[in-house]
Amino acid sequence: MKDIFKAPFIIEMSETTANMYRQGWDERNGGNISCLLDENEVAEYLDLNCVIRTIPTKFDAKKLAGKIFLVTGTGKYFKNVTKDPETNLGIVRISADGTMAELLWGYKDGGKFTSEFPAHMMSHIARLEVDPNHRVVAHSHPTYTIAMNTVCPADEKDFTHKLWQSNTECVIVFPDGVGVLPCMVCGTEEIGIATAEKMKSHRIVVWTNHGIYGTGKDLDEAFGLIETVEKTAQIYMLSLGHVVNVIPDKTIKGLADLWNLTIMEGVIDA
């Protein structure tokens, strides 16, 4: 077996969590990430027949049966992943009946996956149904994004429009817009279901007064989506009350046409 500490997926997760912590998006133990791994790649580093223990999924994850995920641990700090990945991360496989996660590696202190595991897995299910290349769900607490949705209504078309009007990059990076949920109790099946519903049409979902979920085909894409929303939310908040120029809808439409993008309906005038 190859050394798992040198596995690309462990190294990339360690680098990404450290970067997100440095950005100030994941204070204390805030934030969580899950990555769908390729079984053949994992088999180069682990004996897939060796299950350390099982952990209840606490929801029906049967649609993901047999799939393997690298997931950050509950109560763990992103800043600690690099120096001790085996404690702060875990690799789990969803059981055949979807009720258990089989631990193949990690959580060596007896821990388990993030409390947001149901929301992550439900989002994976939703995104895989619309994009077979989907692999990553990343949740964080970006400062300006949270600030922006304290001063804006919990209306995804309005929120998306404000972002598109503030930075020409936005309509290109997320033409599908940003889904927005009202303030809800986190760590529950209810918020997982609501998030997954939004994920059917959006790769980014904002939880009002809490944070953001970004998804993608890899960690770079998920990180980049969150990064673009957060940068633009910062622009919006820094200019709040003093705006002289916004990007006209005509220009937003022109950018979408230039890049042959299908944009979220109802955000700008046709």
Side-chain angles (χ1 to χ4, degrees), residues 177-215:
V178 176
V180 176
L181 290 179
C183 189
M184 300 175 67
V185 177
C186 57
T188 64
E189 185 173 355
E190 288 74 19
I191 200 168
I193 292 170
T195 303
E197 185 62 30
K198 295 291 183 186
M199 286 292 180
K200 293 177 181 178
S201 52
H202 304 287
R203 291 168 298 147
I204 317 165
V205 177
V206 168
W207 288 3
T208 297
N209 304 122
H210 184 125
I212 191 171
Y213 265 68
T215 66

Side-chain angles (χ1 to χ4, degrees), residues 121-136:
M121 295 301 109
M122 291 178 196
S123 292
H124 279 295
I125 291 169
R127 290 307 306 165
L128 285 167
E129 288 177 352
V130 297
D131 179 8
N133 295 315
H134 162 85
R135 293 294 179 271
V136 175

Side-chain angles (χ1 to χ4, degrees), residues 28 66 69 93 106-107 152 164 173 224 232 251:
R28 199 171 179 269
F69 295 89
R93 178 175 56 207
Y107 307 144
C152 296
W164 285 358
V173 175
T232 308
T251 302

